[in-house]
Amino acid sequence: MDPIGGKHGEEREKQEMIKKGIMLIMAGTIALSCCACGSGSQSSQDMVPASIGGHAWAGRMEITYAEGFQIDKYEDGYMLITIRGEDQFLIVPEGEKVPGAEDTSGEEESGTEETSDSQEEAEADEASGSRETSDDIDDSITVLRQPVTGIYLAASAVMDMFVSLDSLDDIRFSVLTADGWYIDEAVRSMESGNILYAGKYSAPDYELILSEGCDLAIENTMIYHTPEVKEELESFGIPVLVDYSSYESDPLGRMEWIKLYGVLTGETELAEQVFERQSALYVDTGNGADSAADEDIGNGSDSVTDEDSGTGSAPVNDEDSESVADSAPTVAFFYITTTGAVNVRKSADYLPRMIEQAGGVYIFEDLGDEDDTASSTVTMQMEEFYNAAKDADYLIYNSTIEGELDSMEDFLALSDLLKNFKAVSENHVYCTTKNLYQASMELGTITSDIRNMLCGNTENLTYLYRIE
């Protein structure tokens, strides 16, 4: 054999082996991809999670509309909350032990003193219910033992959920004073001393919080503007749960966050009942809007009754759906800032969806679609707002920021251009009550109010009133 040819032959054999190896790796990768994403389009979230601390996975709670969290159920009542695929909280039922923690209940005293710093730190962590690490659970998972009490609530939209769950006693600290709340139960709890003011979210009263004891701080996303506060709370052994319910564009998704707090408080069944009640009202309002006759919506008549609104009438045919949409009344939702600019909701926000659910059309068709920031609003000059909304059939003034308006005179005083709006001349100007945003579990009722406004049923509105 030619020695040179032999070397070349060996080289070719090596190259062939490398090629075969690469093809095998590619085939294996494709097979794995097919298993994960192919047959049945099974996602990674559909795969059965591993057990936690010896407790087998028992299923996943049904979350239909919310996109910001999921809840996995484990044997013996353990629950794992995952928020936005990142932050995880293991809820340990009352009376159960933390996975991986040593059970010393049956041990006899050894007669030796063990007072190491690590033991003292472990005892402090156990007392506060904060993050615990063990070989059985990942140290990124925050462990919360029920009952979770002494809560520092810095997310005002969550208060209504705790009230709905009859769990107000679990909250000990608030970032709002009594006069900052528009929820009667919260006001009474603060006035009686059951809930204490503990400073703004950006400057908590750490001394008060630590002296009273705190199992958990619930913040909204504003906490990320002052990350040092979150770090400080955690350094004291106080876990921080960031609420993202305001990031849900679907109104039902926002309200579905009550299921998370139902798990936290041990009121899962009540959470389901409260959610189903409001979601049914929201859906029924939409069904009524779909089946209502054109003349019943937007005619401004105060004499239209619930029966007249069209509920139970024959559904609109597909052929007529476009004409019904074209004839639906247009609605603008806004407030005027102290500088004279106008703040409006983006078209994809939950409030425009509620308007559409009620049978109206939001006046801004695609406002903010090109803006990928987290803000749900857009601020524009009055002239720009006037050009877009002057022919809107209804105006809803958002009073939650600058306060409620008492009269049409007060409304027109906000800008000289307002008197030229179509809705003003037709007496279709409404104002929200100041508690609109804090009523986070009343979105079905608010949608029903909008529906009644469009049908002229203005006698029994809860969160809207006509400006006279």
Side-chain angles (χ1 to χ4, degrees), residues 9 21 30 39 93 95 136 177 185 194-195 199 212 246 250 265 276 325 407:
I30 292 170
S39 178
D136 291 336
T177 57
E185 294 87 345
N194 291 331
I195 297 179
E212 291 277 338
S246 64
D250 189 328
T265 60
E276 288 300 325
S407 66

Side-chain angles (χ1 to χ4, degrees), residues 351-397:
L351 272 163
R353 287 198 181 191
M354 290 163 64
I355 291 170
E356 292 169 3
Q357 184 75 3
V361 174
Y362 188 53
I363 195 66
F364 297 101
E365 184 177 353
D366 54 6
L367 183 66
D369 286 359
E370 72 287 349
D371 182 5
D372 59 357
T373 63
S375 175
S376 59
T377 63
V378 173
T379 300
M380 60 180 64
Q381 295 304 309
M382 171 54 78
E383 290 75 13
E384 182 182 359
F385 176 72
Y386 173 76
N387 290 331
K390 65 180 184 297
D391 292 325
D393 296 303
Y394 289 83
L395 299 178
I396 301 178
Y397 189 79

